[in-house]
C-alpha cells in the first residue's frame, strides 16, 4: 500500500519506519512522474517489506526543500531514518529495484 507522506506524518511513517522506505517525490503536472507512479504502486503491492510513500512537491514544499529536490520525479531510499540512495528521472522497474 502506498502512503501519502506529509509534513504531519513524515516522522512516524518515514523516520520511525522499521522497513526500508521508498519515497517518490512527484507533481501532477510532471509527465515522467505519471510514468513512474504506476511502477512505484506495483512495488508497493509486491513488497510488504518496503514502506512506499509519495510526496507531492507542490503540496509539501518544506519536505521537498528538506530533501533538496530540484528535479522530479525523485526517488529516495531511506533506512533507519537515513538516505541510502536516490535517483532523479524516469526509470524502469528493474532500475528502481536495484536502488533498493
Amino acid at each position: 500500500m502506498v502512503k501519502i507522506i506529509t509534513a504531519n506524518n513524515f516522522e512516524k511513517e518515514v523516520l520511525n519506519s522499521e522497513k526500508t522506505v521508498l519515497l517518490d517525490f512527484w507533481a501532477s503536472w510532471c509527465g515522467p512522474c505519471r510514468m513512474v507512479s504506476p511502477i512505484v504502486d506495483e512495488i508497493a503491492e509486491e513488497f510488504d517489506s518496503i514502506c512506499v510513500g509519495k510526496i507531492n512537491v507542490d503540496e509539501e514544499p518544506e519536505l521537498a526543500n528538506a530533501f533538496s529536490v530540484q528535479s522530479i520525479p525523485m526517488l529516495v531510499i531511506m533506512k533507519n531514518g537515513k538516505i541510502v540512495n536516490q535517483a532523479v528521472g524516469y526509470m524502469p522497474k528493474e532500475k528502481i529495484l536495484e536502488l533498493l
Side-chain angles (χ1 to χ4, degrees), residues 14-99:
V14 177
L15 295 182
N16 295 336
S17 177
E18 295 182 6
K19 298 179 179 181
T20 296
V21 179
L22 167 61
L23 294 176
D24 175 15
F25 288 86
W26 68 283
S28 59
W29 47 264
C30 165
C33 297
R34 289 195 298 270
M35 293 165 59
V36 167
S37 186
I39 299 170
V40 170
D41 293 348
E42 268 180 44
I43 292 170
E45 293 298 318
E46 291 172 18
F47 298 92
D48 288 337
S49 58
I50 301 169
C51 173
V52 178
K54 293 188 178 187
I55 300 174
N56 183 319
V57 296
D58 290 333
E59 294 173 6
E60 299 296 331
E62 62 284 345
L63 287 177
N65 286 337
F67 282 84
S68 302
V69 176
Q70 295 181 341
S71 295
I72 52 175
M74 182 167 120
L75 300 176
V76 175
I77 314 305
M78 297 184 71
K79 291 183 183 175
N80 302 317
K82 305 260 187 290
I83 297 172
V84 295
N85 215 338
Q86 65 185 52
V88 174
Y90 170 80
M91 61 189 67
K93 186 175 179 180
E94 304 78 55
K95 293 287 183 197
I96 295 172
L97 293 175
E98 285 173 19
L99 292 175

